[in-house]
Amino acid sequence: IEKDIEALDAERELREELTDAFRGRMVNKGLTRVVAELASCKTLAVHGLLADIFLALTLNQKHRGRLVQDGAHKALLSLARDMGKEEEESYRQKALFEHSNPSEQSEPVVAKDIKRKAAHALARIGVTTDPHLFSHAAANDMVVPLLDLMNGENELAHFESALALTNLASLSQDIKLSILRNQGWSRLEYLCSSENPQVQRAATGAL
């Protein structure tokens, strides 16, 4: 049994290495720009795929600088924006394809899930990127999605959003005021009571 477990662990590590290598080739070949341009497509199906792609591409820290250079954060800001019910339904109806058999239909894409994944990818970028590489407008636009990411139960998202906000807050007084205006203080205070010590430290550092 131990040998079987070791073999499974080795296989999993190999898959992870190969997957990360593929992501690296995708980023280094500049395909991120092509993916980012698809954010202009007004369909939830495409937005859902893009959010998943960017969430995967931002896993490796060494890829994030190139992602910023290629404008990934701008596409993510578009994906992470609030969408009203009417707009969401309009985007839902503009699907690239439809299943002829209702039994083959997958779970519907939900705008709030797209926003959450895009915000998480933004947080990962914000953690390791020099904030001066963002335009002031982009940095300011990142505040609300990062604060909204503190809702929910994903402690990793809480941790990374707090670190990203700490990084952004070092950019200017305007960003600090934007965080405060959008209830950043109360949200960070709440994270300070988290049972996860890493989340506690990140929230305390942001405050």
Side-chain angles (χ1 to χ4, degrees):
I1 295 177
E2 292 180 356
K3 290 183 178 179
D4 290 339
I5 293 175
E6 290 178 358
L8 288 173
D9 288 341
E11 183 179 348
R12 186 183 67 253
E13 291 179 3
L14 178 60
R15 285 200 304 269
E16 291 175 354
E17 289 178 4
L18 292 174
T19 301
D20 187 58
F22 173 77
R23 292 172 186 150
R25 288 196 298 271
M26 183 177 179
V27 171
N28 293 330
K29 293 292 184 181
L31 294 180
T32 309
R33 295 180 181 179
V34 178
V35 175
E37 289 176 1
L38 291 174
S40 61
C41 293
K42 296 183 178 182
T43 163
L44 283 185
V46 171
H47 284 196
L49 288 172
L50 295 181
D52 286 333
I53 290 171
F54 281 124
L55 194 59
L57 292 178
T58 53
L59 274 171
N60 193 322
Q61 293 186 19
K62 67 182 182 182
H63 298 156
R64 296 173 190 171
R66 179 60 186 270
L67 287 170
V68 172
Q69 291 178 25
D70 290 344
H73 62 295
K74 297 177 183 178
L76 287 167
L77 282 171
S78 175
L79 297 175
R81 68 185 180 83
D82 285 319
M83 187 179 291
K85 291 184 178 179
E86 291 185 2
E87 186 179 13
E88 179 176 358
E89 186 57 31
S90 173
Y91 274 50
R92 190 185 310 284
Q93 293 174 359
K94 295 175 181 177
L96 294 182
F97 58 87
E98 295 181 357
H99 292 286
S100 57
N101 186 350
S103 64
E104 296 178 356
Q105 293 183 359
S106 58
E107 290 294 321
V109 180
V110 182
K112 67 178 182 180
D113 291 336
I114 296 172
K115 177 181 177 179
R116 176 179 51 79
K117 292 177 182 178
H120 197 168
L122 271 176
R124 288 175 176 170
I125 288 175
V127 168
T128 56
T129 303
D130 180 353
H132 293 89
L133 295 179
F134 301 122
S135 68
H136 185 274
N140 191 59
D141 288 343
M142 290 172 67
V143 169
V144 171
L146 292 177
L147 288 173
D148 288 344
L149 192 60
M150 295 179 180
N151 300 325
E153 300 178 356
N154 189 329
E155 292 184 337
L156 178 59
H158 297 166
F159 174 69
E160 292 178 323
S161 61
L163 290 181
L165 280 172
T166 302
N167 200 19
L168 288 178
S170 68
L171 187 59
S172 71
Q173 188 67 21
D174 287 344
I175 300 299
K176 294 184 178 71
L177 292 175
S178 179
I179 294 172
L180 294 175
R181 281 195 299 266
N182 288 284
Q183 301 178 333
W185 187 272
S186 60
R187 297 193 191 192
L188 288 165
E189 272 191 327
Y190 179 76
L191 292 188
C192 286
S193 62
S194 170
E195 296 181 357
N196 187 314
Q198 289 184 311
V199 174
Q200 288 181 11
R201 284 195 293 270
T204 302
L207 289 174

